[in-house]
Amino acid sequence: MTKPMLKMTAAFADVMPAEYVELVQSGPFGKGYGVADLGSFKELIEEHPLCAGCGLALAVRLIMASLPSPEDTVVVGSTGCSSLAFPQIALQNIHSLFGNQNAVATGLKRALTLRFPDKHKDVLVVAGDGATADIGLDMVLHSWFRGEKLATIMLDNEAYANTGGQESGMSPEGCVLNMAPTGKKFKKIALPEIARESGCAYVASVTPVQPRKLEKAVRRAILVAREVGPTYVQIFVPCPTNYKFKPQETLVKAKQKEKDQTYPLREFITPEAQSYLAAIEGGGKRD
Amino acid sequence: MKNKHKRWTFARKYCMLLKGLQLFYGGMILTKYRVLAGPEGYLPPAAACEGIALPDVGYALIEGREVPEQEALSAIVDKLLSAKRPFFFPGPNVLWEWKAGVAEKAAAVRKLADTAGARVIPMPDYRPKYPMINPAIEINPNHPNLTIWHNKIDVCVFVGVHCHYANMALKIIRGGTDCYTIAICGEAGHEDANITLRDAGIPQLEALTAMVAERRRLS
């Protein structure tokens, strides 16, 4: 998508549904809105079929509000809970086969770089923990090894949540789920550390409890991926359905894990990315 | 059991032979399949799988039969003017001003719709919306039948819809509704539409508008 694509033809402006008129008139395209502006503009996602209290839904909303250039962003997703929400977003998005998201994003990014050599086209990979750390780990790791300029975001709900609740590599040790009744037998994969060692220029793990922190991580990941190299953000998104807590307790659970360090928040930045970020964030500008 | 199996195998082979003869005979593609208005039932076949080929340059398809473009233009005018509730479904290619020349084409489409007395329901994008679209004001290629049923549409015109989504929507409409479908396509045409033009641009749209206006004047 580009900005001209967001202009309606005069001949049909009178029959366009109000939703689209609103998106053009008060959407985030080219306006530089962020998380602090939520509620004052037409958001890229409004309705979704996810469960009540889903942490992932909140994270998707915050990610969409954090994009530095939504009009020049393509989202690549994969199978999982997030793939139920992404068809609803008002952005170009590709649903890849389960686990293929970073391979698909690689091809897309390379094609966009050839097609638009003078422009930044952000390719944002957003997938669940199953697609990123288990089934698609091969594709994810190799995209990092190759130094592809992609921002990879993992929505970590610590389970295969929409298939009944199987344990994933990101489930914590000992956790009991519907389809893991005897408890998980090994530790949670330390993917932020693996990302750091695999060539990611920027790595962060965050939760939706602190929206501004999440926004900062997402923006940094996208901006660093434009110029420096691959980036990775891991977002903890508690799942009330499979971890069996009340929908209104989602943020409490996330906060608790932050507090007791069972979900440590981290940020690794390479010196090159650090100097790049210092240059663009120095003036307090978003972009 | 053995005889039953033999009979079944023979029947299958016989059907395949007939199908082969039907599709290829003396180098010509012959098919009895006609792309008629539905409802054809759940999962209707793609017209291409039934031997319907896209029209050559300068030609069009009427119900799967290749005809000169002028004949198809005339048939489109007949269908639009005899319809009880004709609707135009403009797609993203004419709804969004994404490149030079689109605004002019959109204006030509709108003029045709207005001259024919057809209503317009847009297809602004292809998102499978949750929980569902509002069929009174928009159409979605993933369930176009909802809009057709809701508005009791008997003739519809697809224009400016990307080919892959147009094909899918046209097939769903043929499967689940009795709506007659017309595709005014700027590319190679749509064999799944009841009538399809190919390489259609402003000249074809203006010709249709003039024909509709003339027919209205005479009636």
Side-chain angles (χ1 to χ4, degrees), chain A residues 100-114:
Chain A
N100 275 1
Q101 66 279 1
N102 281 60
V104 170
T106 297
L108 181 65
K109 178 72 184 182
R110 291 184 185 188
L112 289 172
T113 308
L114 286 171

Side-chain angles (χ1 to χ4, degrees), chain A residues 40-287:
Chain A
S40 68
F41 65 94
K42 172 82 173 173
E43 292 181 45
L44 295 175
I45 181 163
E46 291 185 320
E47 292 176 319
H48 61 76
L50 299 171
C51 308
C54 176
L56 190 147
L58 175 58
V60 169
R61 185 182 179 204
L62 295 174
I63 293 168
M64 289 299 116
S66 307
L67 302 176
S69 316
E71 63 279 6
D72 288 312
T73 302
V74 183
V75 177
V76 181
S78 196
T79 308
C81 290
S82 60
S83 64
L84 303 175
F86 275 114
Q88 318 296 327
I89 63 170
L91 278 188
Q92 308 282 11
N93 77 94
I94 295 177
H95 173 78
S96 68
L97 284 179
F98 207 168
N100 275 1
Q101 66 279 1
N102 281 60
V104 170
T106 297
L108 181 65
K109 178 72 184 182
R110 291 184 185 188
L112 289 172
T113 308
L114 286 171
R115 175 69 180 78
F116 303 99
D118 306 323
K119 204 164 187 189
H120 288 301
K121 289 283 179 184
D122 300 323
V123 176
L124 182 65
V125 180
V126 188
D129 47 314
T132 309
D134 292 349
I135 295 167
L137 185 62
D138 179 5
M139 268 62 78
V140 171
L141 282 182
H142 278 272
S143 74
W144 293 343
F145 297 156
R146 292 193 305 270
E148 305 290 348
K149 289 182 174 172
L150 305 172
T152 304
I153 297 180
M154 181 211 279
L155 299 168
D156 182 13
N157 59 10
E158 303 191 317
Y160 287 86
N162 70 346
T163 48
Q166 293 81 8
E167 67 177 48
S168 81
M170 298 302 285
S171 305
E173 188 173 13
C175 88
V176 173
L177 291 160
N178 286 342
M179 307 253 179
T182 59
K184 194 185 172 200
K185 302 284 190 291
F186 58 94
K187 286 183 182 169
K188 184 181 177 83
I189 300 171
L191 206 57
E193 285 77 8
I194 294 173
R196 183 189 60 191
E197 299 304 318
S198 304
C200 284
Y202 177 82
V203 178
S205 67
V206 290
T207 77
V209 173
Q210 301 178 62
R212 297 300 297 269
K213 212 171 220 179
L214 187 149
E215 178 191 31
K216 193 176 175 186
V218 170
R219 293 184 88 92
R220 282 183 158 190
I222 292 171
L223 296 173
V224 169
R226 282 182 186 174
E227 296 289 348
V228 186
T231 57
Y232 173 64
V233 177
Q234 186 172 303
I235 306 176
F236 177 48
V237 289
C239 171
T241 305
N242 284 284
Y243 279 84
K244 306 196 189 308
F245 54 84
K246 289 177 185 166
Q248 65 268 33
E249 290 172 355
T250 302
L251 288 181
V252 177
K253 294 284 172 191
K255 205 169 197 171
Q256 186 59 43
K257 280 206 159 196
E258 256 187 57
K259 202 173 171 186
D260 61 21
Q261 286 290 302
T262 46
Y263 204 96
L265 305 188
R266 285 157 290 185
E267 194 175 42
F268 307 126
I269 315 178
T270 61
E272 194 188 355
Q274 184 79 66
S275 56
Y276 172 68
L277 286 172
I280 57 168
E281 290 175 348
K285 280 175 70 181
R286 277 209 180 109
D287 255 326

Side-chain angles (χ1 to χ4, degrees), chain A residues 7 9 11 14 20 47 88, chain B residues 94 97 110 127 129-130:
Chain A
K7 190 180 171 198
T9 50
D14 62 322
Y20 293 90
E47 292 176 319
Q88 318 296 327
Chain B
V94 290
E97 208 173 321
R110 188 62 195 261
R127 283 183 283 168
K129 288 185 191 164
Y130 179 82

Side-chain angles (χ1 to χ4, degrees), chain B:
Chain B
M1 184 69 189
K2 205 174 173 183
N3 280 341
K4 195 179 170 187
H5 176 72
K6 267 187 182 170
R7 276 204 302 275
W8 171 235
T9 310
F10 174 75
R12 223 168 53 171
K13 278 183 182 167
Y14 184 68
C15 286
M16 285 169 70
L17 180 70
L18 277 181
K19 185 104 177 164
L21 284 173
Q22 181 189 359
L23 287 176
F24 297 100
Y25 184 72
M28 287 172 64
I29 294 177
L30 294 176
T31 174
K32 285 182 180 171
Y33 187 78
R34 285 284 164 258
V35 187
L36 302 172
E40 206 169 331
Y42 184 59
L43 291 177
C49 295
E50 296 297 320
I52 307 292
L54 289 171
D56 286 329
V57 176
Y59 287 82
L61 293 181
I62 298 180
E63 296 170 1
R65 185 169 49 88
E66 193 175 71
V67 297
E69 185 183 87
Q70 197 57 37
E71 192 180 329
L73 292 177
S74 184
I76 291 172
V77 174
D78 286 346
K79 284 291 171 188
L80 282 176
L81 294 182
S82 61
K84 283 183 188 157
R85 293 177 66 81
F87 274 66
F88 272 60
F89 297 144
N93 278 331
V94 290
L95 292 176
W96 302 100
E97 208 173 321
W98 58 283
K99 69 170 185 181
V102 172
E104 292 76 12
K105 189 170 180 183
V109 174
R110 188 62 195 261
K111 192 175 175 193
L112 170 60
D114 291 345
T115 309
R119 274 184 57 194
V120 177
I121 288 188
M123 189 188 286
D125 62 26
Y126 307 129
R127 283 183 283 168
K129 288 185 191 164
Y130 179 82
M132 66 177 277
I133 57 147
N134 178 353
I137 57 164
E138 63 183 316
I139 179 167
N140 187 280
N142 306 289
H143 29 67
N145 46 332
L146 299 182
T147 300
I148 306 263
W149 288 335
H150 180 88
N151 297 288
K152 299 183 171 58
I153 299 170
D154 57 348
V155 171
C156 70
V157 179
F158 274 66
V159 55
V161 180
H162 289 90
C163 297
H164 48 301
Y165 278 108
N167 279 342
M168 181 174 77
L170 288 164
K171 209 149 76 72
I172 295 171
I173 292 172
R174 222 170 71 236
T177 79
D178 61 355
C179 181
Y180 198 89
T181 55
I182 296 167
I184 299 180
C185 178
E187 304 288 337
H190 295 279
E191 64 281 81
D192 278 303
N194 300 130
I195 300 180
T196 182
L197 297 180
R198 64 164 294 163
D199 305 319
I202 292 177
Q204 285 82 356
L205 290 164
E206 284 176 345
L208 278 169
T209 308
M211 288 164 78
V212 169
E214 178 64 9
R215 200 79 68 86
R216 274 193 180 283
R217 193 180 64 79
L218 293 174
S219 64

